Amino acid sequence: DISYDEFILLNDSKIKSMLSCNGKKEDKYPIPNWNQVHLELRNKIVTLALLHEEYITSCGGEDKGYGYTWFCNNYKKFSKKINPSMRLVHKAGEKIFIDFSGKTMPIVNEKDGTITDVQIFVAVLPASGYPFVIAIPSQKKRDFIEAHCDMVEYFKGVSELFVPDNLKSAIISNNKKGIVVNESYAELCRHYNCAVEPARPKQPQDKGIVEQAVQGIQRWILAVFRHRTFYSVDEINQAIVPLIDKYNNRIIKFIGKSRYELFEQEEKQHLQPLPANRYIYKE
């Protein structure tokens, strides 16, 4: 309602006040803490509807906060800004994703100088992104299962589901006819009171969180060893310990907490307790 000559004489704050979206709710109501909303949803019994009600209560009533549709739509916009592997809301204590690093580590035989490649086993709790890493001699059943026993002892608990890739040590077949679990692996799961839900073949989005963990392990741990010579699997595992601790204490962008903090605060208490005895592998 003013002329251009009048407008150019106004200061910045006055111009901004004239150009703001007057009357819209954004000018009146507080914005939810989307980071906290995303973390809260990892609890098994928490829903967006409950979080919206709590938000409305914190605002002082329905006439002082945004509606449920706005709340859901804006949370969806926020989740798209997060790292793709972190977008899925995994419930705490529900799953452990299991995979191998595509990159192996060489060990040198001190007697004859021969080089053997050992496997890097990686498991991750998806709600917190908290990983477990161990070098093992091979992907054979005994080594694979022993790594699981070390894994649950490291986490100090067991999830409801193990989500492995479709390697033969875990899954004999996974197709339209159904899933056939290796009997040794099934016995391991019975011992720890959990079920098996293998990732779908050729569906990398099913295990994005463990793929991200594998990438992080390769960049922040295995890459550190590129100029180092190891002579045993145990020596590699001893070198991994301080580096994995450092990796777990790195602050995650958009979340503002480390993987260790998320594990301790959000996930650890939701894991099932370990049985009295460690599983013993049998042929």
Side-chain angles (χ1 to χ4, degrees):
D1 298 328
I2 61 173
S3 68
Y4 174 74
D5 291 334
E6 293 174 312
F7 182 77
I8 60 173
L9 297 176
L10 300 175
N11 60 36
D12 285 352
S13 60
K14 182 64 177 176
I15 290 174
K16 286 179 181 178
S17 67
M18 294 177 70
L19 296 176
S20 66
C21 302
N22 292 322
K24 286 194 175 182
K25 289 184 178 179
E26 286 84 353
D27 298 324
K28 300 178 181 179
Y29 304 145
I31 303 295
N33 183 338
W34 298 121
N35 280 333
Q36 188 61 33
V37 169
H38 190 69
L39 291 176
E40 291 278 11
L41 284 172
R42 299 182 181 194
N43 191 306
K44 293 181 181 180
I45 57 176
V46 173
T47 64
L48 273 173
L50 173 65
L51 295 176
H52 175 254
E53 284 189 12
E54 292 177 349
Y55 160 72
I56 289 296
T57 301
S58 70
C59 291
E62 290 187 8
D63 58 337
K64 296 181 181 179
Y66 300 116
Y68 181 63
T69 301
W70 180 97
F71 189 86
C72 292
N73 289 340
N74 280 270
Y75 170 71
K76 187 176 181 181
K77 290 178 183 177
F78 166 82
S79 66
K80 289 181 179 179
K81 299 177 183 178
I82 303 174
N83 187 300
S85 64
M86 299 290 288
R87 287 178 192 169
L88 289 175
V89 178
H90 296 284
K91 297 301 182 182
E94 184 179 45
K95 299 178 180 180
I96 297 176
F97 285 81
I98 297 151
D99 204 355
F100 282 96
S101 166
K103 180 175 174 56
T104 57
M105 285 293 297
I107 57 172
V108 179
N109 186 313
E110 291 185 276
K111 294 181 179 179
D112 57 19
T114 57
I115 296 176
T116 305
D117 287 331
V118 300
Q119 302 292 323
I120 304 299
F121 176 95
V122 180
V124 62
L125 289 164
S128 58
Y130 190 66
F132 166 75
V133 185
I134 191 171
I136 60 176
S138 71
Q139 293 189 18
K140 293 179 180 179
K141 279 192 296 182
R142 176 184 287 276
D143 297 327
F144 185 63
I145 286 175
E146 287 293 339
H148 279 68
C149 298
D150 292 333
M151 170 191 77
V152 296
E153 289 175 5
Y154 177 83
F155 289 144
K156 296 181 176 62
V158 185
S159 64
E160 297 172 11
L161 295 169
F162 285 168
V163 186
D165 207 352
N166 290 278
L167 73 163
K168 295 300 181 184
S169 294
I171 306 299
I172 294 174
S173 64
N174 181 3
N175 50 44
K176 293 179 180 179
K177 296 180 180 179
I179 298 169
V180 180
V181 180
N182 188 300
E183 181 54 35
S184 296
Y185 196 64
E187 189 176 338
L188 166 83
C189 293
R190 285 194 291 271
H191 179 83
Y192 287 114
N193 192 34
C194 64
V196 184
E197 186 184 86
R200 293 176 297 171
K202 300 180 182 179
Q203 298 292 332
Q205 67 272 23
D206 285 3
K207 51 175 186 170
I209 187 71
V210 73
E211 295 289 355
Q212 185 203 31
V214 166
Q215 186 182 68
I217 298 308
Q218 290 176 347
R219 290 177 176 177
W220 297 101
I221 296 178
L222 302 188
V224 176
F225 298 155
R226 66 191 184 280
H227 300 310
R228 239 178 116 170
T229 302
F230 293 98
Y231 298 98
S232 71
V233 174
D234 288 342
E235 189 181 350
I236 294 176
N237 286 326
Q238 289 172 7
I240 284 174
V241 172
L243 293 178
I244 193 64
D245 288 343
K246 183 178 179 181
Y247 177 77
N248 282 332
N249 282 294
R250 295 175 64 87
I251 301 300
I252 303 171
K253 190 177 180 181
F254 291 110
I255 299 296
K257 295 182 180 181
S258 69
R259 292 170 180 84
Y260 179 74
E261 288 176 307
L262 292 174
F263 170 71
E264 288 288 330
Q265 297 170 11
E266 310 289 342
E267 191 146 34
K268 185 177 180 179
Q269 66 270 29
H270 294 290
L271 295 173
Q272 301 179 85
L274 293 174
N277 301 312
R278 178 184 170 106
Y279 176 74
I280 300 174
Y281 174 79
K282 295 176 285 293
E283 290 286 356

